[in-house]
Amino acid sequence: MNTFIDFMEKRFIPVANKISENRYLKSVSTGSMALLGVIMVGSIFTVIASFSWGPYQDFLTSTQLGTLLNYIPDFTIDLLGMYMAFSIAYCGADIFKIKEHALGTGLISLVSFLMLSPLTDVPEERLAYLNTSYLGAKGVFVAIFVSLLTIQVMRFFVKKNFTIRMPQGVPEMVTKSFTSLIPAVAIVLIFGLIKLLFSLTSFETATDFIYTLLQQPLQSLTATLPAFLVLILISNLLWFFGIHGSMTVLPILMPIFLGYLAGNTEAVSAGEAIPHVINFGLYDLACLGGSGATIGLVANMFFFSKSKRYRAFSKIVFPSGLFGVNEPVIFGMPLMLNVMLLIPFLLTPLVIVSLGYLLISFGIITAPIGILGAGSLPPLVHGIVQGSLSFGIYEIIAAVLSMAIYFPFFKALDNQAVQEEAAANELASEDSTVSEI
């Protein structure tokens, strides 16, 4: 075990730290999380509109409420790529130390993203329109590349002072607009040239090129259970050593899972089966109670602890664990570097995710939609919000499985604590006797 810990500390953790601190990945992760409100709103209305009960659907149709409810996903999740083009550039400008130009960077990135999206001409009506499929899930990776490149070009011009300087007394917003003018011209020319070059290829658009050569293969890779389990294992190993493992893994999964979310909501709206089973919902299952699926650990502590130490501690960690917060357990128990809990901490998420995936594959339970940001909801409620009552019921079963796996390891710790408290009480009693004499 010592050899393993030494290897992790010397070889694995430094690499993981570099990944989690990478400014490009942080920009993508922060920008994606900033869209949480938009994503949640769109997902919730998709769930509300998609309940498959016949009388309910007839009611939505007869009252036109179904049409009203479907407006919201059309302009939230279905335009996710467009929102990401702004959000990642806006948040990334702060991360790359050009915060004063964040708004301009975000807007220029959005313009550049729209430039790369193809226009469909309608000659008889003398108009052209944007194909919204290029603004949603299909455009997520294009949005990432556009926003990151926009940040770097803007940063280059700002750092080199290749900007228009306004005299004192000019309003701040006007000054910022003119400061961004030269880099804005350079950026739109770059993306205009990219658009032109791709129009001369068989792909025709940058979106089709990236979607075909990069996004589809990555989605296929992360759609496999073994690859997903490996990423969960890496995340929990990092947490065991006190490093925020989710911050290392989620930036890799974020753009892919956001693409899945859009595809899943479209399928649910059409009354079809969810095409992407491995999504944010399944990741939340791996983090039931927090990373390591520690809901079983805190439940055991709350219901079965004999020691004063863990009985008192459970009053804090059990309520927070129900809502997916387990930092008090990891750093306060501590679970971090606690060899006694390493096996259940790594094993539990793999077991409950694998079983859940198996039940979904056999049609026993319905897959979650994959809503981002629902991980703080307690079991059952989380599944319902994800559009699947059966998945919510399985979360209760998964919590019981977590308790069963953690139980023998926790009892060993609890018994040890009981013995230590008994020894401490005995010593205190002896000291009291001596002082009386």
Side-chain angles (χ1 to χ4, degrees), residues 3 15 38 83 96 173 186 210 212 303 326-327 330 343 371 392:
T3 304
V15 174
V38 173
Y83 298 134
F96 279 93
M173 289 303 297
I210 291 175
T212 303
F303 292 109
N326 72 341
E327 280 83 355
I330 290 178
I343 292 175
I371 299 173

Side-chain angles (χ1 to χ4, degrees), residues 57-248:
Q57 288 296 324
D58 292 340
F59 170 74
L60 293 183
T61 302
S62 62
T63 60
Q64 294 296 311
L65 275 175
T67 303
L68 173 62
L69 294 175
N70 285 324
Y71 285 151
I72 289 87
D74 288 345
F75 291 92
T76 50
I77 294 175
D78 290 353
L79 299 180
L80 192 58
M82 185 178 74
Y83 298 134
M84 287 182 69
F86 173 83
S87 181
I88 293 173
Y90 180 83
C91 296
D94 184 13
I95 293 170
F96 279 93
K97 310 301 182 184
I98 51 170
K99 184 177 181 180
E100 65 275 14
H101 302 286
L103 181 60
T105 304
L107 291 172
I108 296 166
S109 175
L110 176 58
V111 170
S112 302
F113 173 77
L114 292 174
M115 281 181 61
L116 292 182
S117 302
L119 286 171
T120 301
D121 292 314
V122 186
E124 60 273 16
E125 298 182 17
R126 296 183 180 180
L127 55 83
Y129 62 88
L130 281 169
N131 187 335
T132 56
S133 67
Y134 286 85
L135 306 181
K138 195 173 183 179
V140 164
F141 272 72
V142 176
I144 292 171
F145 287 123
V146 167
S147 55
L148 294 179
L149 182 56
T150 299
I151 292 169
Q152 294 310 308
V153 175
M154 176 67 79
R155 182 167 171 258
F156 172 80
F157 277 87
V158 170
K159 296 300 181 183
K160 298 294 183 181
N161 287 321
F162 294 153
T163 57
I164 297 175
R165 299 181 183 179
M166 301 299 291
Q168 291 184 352
V170 176
E172 183 180 359
M173 289 303 297
V174 176
T175 300
K176 288 184 177 180
S177 297
F178 274 90
T179 302
S180 302
L181 185 58
I182 293 177
V185 170
I187 290 166
V188 295
L189 284 175
I190 289 171
F191 285 107
L193 178 61
I194 291 173
K195 184 180 181 71
L196 176 62
L197 292 175
F198 273 107
S199 69
L200 303 176
T201 68
S202 60
F203 292 101
E204 295 186 356
T205 70
T207 305
D208 287 322
F209 171 77
I210 291 175
Y211 186 76
T212 303
L213 294 188
L214 182 60
Q215 188 165 346
Q216 280 186 323
L218 279 176
Q219 286 182 342
S220 299
L221 176 64
T222 53
T224 63
L225 182 63
F228 185 56
L229 294 179
V230 167
L231 290 174
I232 292 172
L233 185 63
I234 290 172
S235 174
N236 291 332
L237 269 174
L238 292 172
W239 271 113
F240 181 76
F241 286 90
I243 296 172
H244 201 307
S246 300
M247 292 300 292
T248 303

Side-chain angles (χ1 to χ4, degrees), residues 241-264:
F241 286 90
I243 296 172
H244 201 307
S246 300
M247 292 300 292
T248 303
V249 170
L250 278 180
I252 300 170
L253 294 174
M254 190 79 70
I256 299 167
F257 279 5
L258 286 175
Y260 289 168
L261 173 59
N264 287 348

